[in-house]
Amino acid sequence: MKRFYIGCVAAFISYCLIAAMIFLRGDLFHIPASLVGTAADPHTFMTAAQIHKAESLSRIHSLSFFISVPLQMGITVALFGMAVRFRNLAERVTGSGILQLGLFLLLFSLLTDVLFLPIDYLLFRIDHTYGISTETIGMFWSDHAKSFLISLLGTLVMVGIYRAVAKWSPQRWWLWLWGISIPLIVFVTFIQPVVLDPLYNKFEPLHNEQLKRQILDLAAQAHIPADQVYQVNMSERTNAINAYVSGIGGNARIVLWDTTLQKLTPEEILTVMAHEMGHYAEWHIYWGLAYGIALSFVGFWLAFHAFRWMLHRFGASIGLRGERDLAALPMLLLLMMLMSFISAPLQNAFSRVIEHRADVYAMNMTGDGIAAIHAFQQIAKENLSPVTQPKLVQWFRGSHPTILERILYFEKFAK
């Protein structure tokens, strides 16, 4: 076993060196010669220093992603034995199954959080160094604590349901669990804008009354049942630009970051908001839910069979007692992480399709290609985003078309 772990560490170090050579060297952000000097060329709207910072930051985030994912998987595998110890401790402390579950999840979540925290903190410091983040260290720890508690509560609910269903239907628990997850996902989507988001930021009605009327006029055209537009104090955390329409039904919220209000003109803001409203008008939230639910069906089925195979192959040697064993939960976590990584290209491909559809909707609504081009040039500048990305990065991390692709589309309307 010791030889196996040494081999894994050596393989991971080799992988990291190869990833570093790929992402830290070479011209990853080359644009075609035919686009040099056009609106899609970053040299026409960004300084050389801004382009260098954007490309450097993108390299770091991409390298971090491709290193942290297998690293977190490896740490999870290494903690299989610790999970057995936590299970035994929970059983010694209390005879209540519910309390054992709560204590086990608390201990294991705290341990993994401490082990994974350095990556989050390092990226926090890097974003500060590059000037994209304005978040204080106090905000970082406060947000981290809130996210930990929300995640722990959600995990308690899902694991509690899983153990009950697995006991009731040992051969079909994956199917029942998939069915139960659907209303839970819809519920979280429904309450997020009014319950979860305000836990992190302050939302208030948009101060600019004229801009509010213009946005609500667009909302009426898009049949969005909203009578208010909100601004959120994101300048306390970031210099980046963003806006969104979240929620479903009567809980739909139109939100602009205050950085967007500060850095874009009203015309540019309206094209961005038309894009966001396109998601609502074309039911992209529902399509996204349906696509995610369909993918999760395959995921639950694969997890069920892979989980059983892993338990049969390695369970006894680790000290696991079966599918409902608390100590077996890290195996499920590992499978979820693996399938999330493998399915990322499919999820991102779907996301890029609906993002382009929203761009089409925005142009059909406003027809203002010039404002859209200027808006995305400003977004590239303020968000430190390269106008293009390597294919590998776009497959695994690209939830939107590249800024270059979007500007080329908007140019059709600018003409």
Side-chain angles (χ1 to χ4, degrees):
M1 184 61 71
K2 182 179 179 180
R3 190 174 298 176
F4 170 76
Y5 283 121
I6 293 174
C8 288
V9 171
F12 178 70
I13 292 174
S14 300
Y15 167 81
C16 290
L17 291 174
I18 294 172
M21 291 179 62
I22 292 173
F23 291 111
L24 299 183
R25 301 177 63 184
D27 183 8
L28 303 181
F29 309 99
H30 175 76
I31 66 170
S34 60
L35 297 180
V36 173
T38 68
D41 181 357
H43 292 88
T44 63
F45 57 87
M46 296 172 71
T47 66
Q50 289 171 332
I51 294 172
H52 176 72
K53 286 176 67 176
E55 293 182 355
S56 297
L57 187 61
S58 179
R59 291 174 189 270
I60 292 170
H61 279 285
S62 295
L63 180 62
S64 170
F65 172 80
F66 283 101
I67 288 180
S68 64
V69 170
L71 177 62
Q72 291 176 351
M73 291 182 188
I75 290 174
T76 302
V77 172
L79 293 179
F80 284 173
M82 186 61 69
V84 173
R85 294 186 180 92
F86 285 158
R87 177 203 64 197
N88 295 340
L89 174 62
E91 291 176 346
R92 288 197 301 269
V93 170
T94 177
S96 168
I98 295 177
L99 293 179
Q100 288 175 5
L101 171 62
L103 180 57
F104 174 86
L105 289 179
L106 176 62
L107 293 173
F108 192 82
S109 297
L110 281 172
L111 178 58
T112 55
D113 185 72
V114 169
L115 293 174
F116 296 160
L117 180 60
I119 297 174
D120 293 336
Y121 183 75
L122 177 61
L123 292 176
F124 163 74
R125 297 306 307 174
I126 289 172
D127 286 345
H128 253 279
T129 301
Y130 278 81
I132 194 69
S133 173
T134 59
E135 189 177 31
T136 66
I137 188 65
M139 288 180 179
F140 172 82
W141 288 115
S142 174
D143 287 354
H144 192 81
K146 292 173 186 176
S147 298
F148 175 82
L149 292 174
I150 292 172
S151 175
L152 179 62
L153 179 60
T155 303
L156 277 168
V157 172
M158 287 304 298
V159 173
I161 293 173
Y162 155 71
R163 297 189 78 213
V165 171
K167 181 179 180 180
W168 173 65
S169 180
Q171 301 302 319
R172 294 287 184 271
W173 61 258
W174 68 272
L175 183 60
W176 289 106
L177 202 61
W178 172 76
I180 294 171
S181 72
I182 296 173
L184 289 177
I185 293 172
V186 174
F187 175 71
V188 171
T189 304
F190 187 77
I191 69 167
Q192 178 178 338
V194 294
V195 176
L196 298 181
D197 289 349
L199 293 176
Y200 295 89
N201 298 291
K202 179 183 178 182
F203 291 77
E204 56 185 350
L206 180 61
H207 299 161
N208 188 328
E209 290 293 334
Q210 180 179 356
L211 181 60
K212 181 192 294 186
R213 286 194 298 272
Q214 292 174 309
I215 292 174
L216 288 177
D217 286 343
L218 288 178
Q221 294 178 48
H223 306 291
I224 297 176
D227 56 7
Q228 188 57 271
V229 181
Y230 295 90
Q231 63 182 63
V232 56
N233 60 331
M234 288 301 296
S235 58
E236 295 183 354
R237 302 172 184 277
T238 181
N239 285 314
I241 295 172
N242 199 12
Y244 58 88
V245 177
S246 63
I248 53 180
N251 272 29
R253 272 197 170 190
I254 303 171
V255 179
L256 292 93
W257 289 10
D258 59 350
T259 50
T260 304
L261 295 168
Q262 296 162 9
K263 298 176 180 181
L264 296 186
T265 67
E267 294 75 19
E268 292 164 1
I269 290 173
L270 290 176
T271 61
V272 170
M273 294 313 301
H275 166 95
E276 300 301 333
M277 291 175 186
H279 288 309
Y280 187 97
E282 295 200 345
W283 291 37
H284 292 166
I285 296 174
Y286 298 96
W287 283 111
L289 284 171
Y291 187 74
I293 289 168
L295 274 182
S296 69
F297 177 85
V298 178
F300 274 108
W301 182 82
L302 287 174
F304 171 77
H305 290 285
F307 186 42
R308 287 198 159 182
W309 178 85
M310 290 178 69
L311 282 174
H312 177 74
R313 180 69 177 81
F314 306 106
S317 62
I318 299 173
L320 303 182
R321 303 167 184 164
E323 294 180 27
R324 296 183 67 249
D325 188 353
L326 290 175
L329 291 175
M331 272 193 180
L332 274 178
L333 174 62
L334 174 66
L335 290 170
M336 290 170 60
M337 295 167 68
L338 179 61
M339 285 187 287
S340 176
F341 179 74
I342 292 173
S343 66
L346 286 174
Q347 297 179 56
N348 287 326
F350 175 82
S351 178
R352 290 194 297 271
V353 169
I354 64 174
E355 290 297 337
H356 177 65
R357 286 297 312 160
D359 283 344
V360 173
Y361 186 92
M363 289 298 94
N364 288 336
M365 176 178 277
T366 69
D368 196 346
I370 293 292
I373 290 171
H374 290 165
F376 278 89
Q377 288 176 337
Q378 193 70 5
I379 288 171
K381 186 190 304 183
E382 298 295 338
N383 294 13
L384 291 182
S385 301
V387 298
T388 187
Q389 288 285 0
K391 288 294 184 183
L392 182 65
V393 174
Q394 194 68 350
W395 290 340
F396 282 91
R397 300 186 63 224
S399 59
H400 291 62
T402 63
I403 291 177
L404 182 146
E405 292 169 334
R406 301 177 84 168
I407 288 177
L408 291 180
Y409 173 73
F410 295 139
E411 278 189 329
K412 299 176 182 178
F413 292 83
K415 295 176 182 178

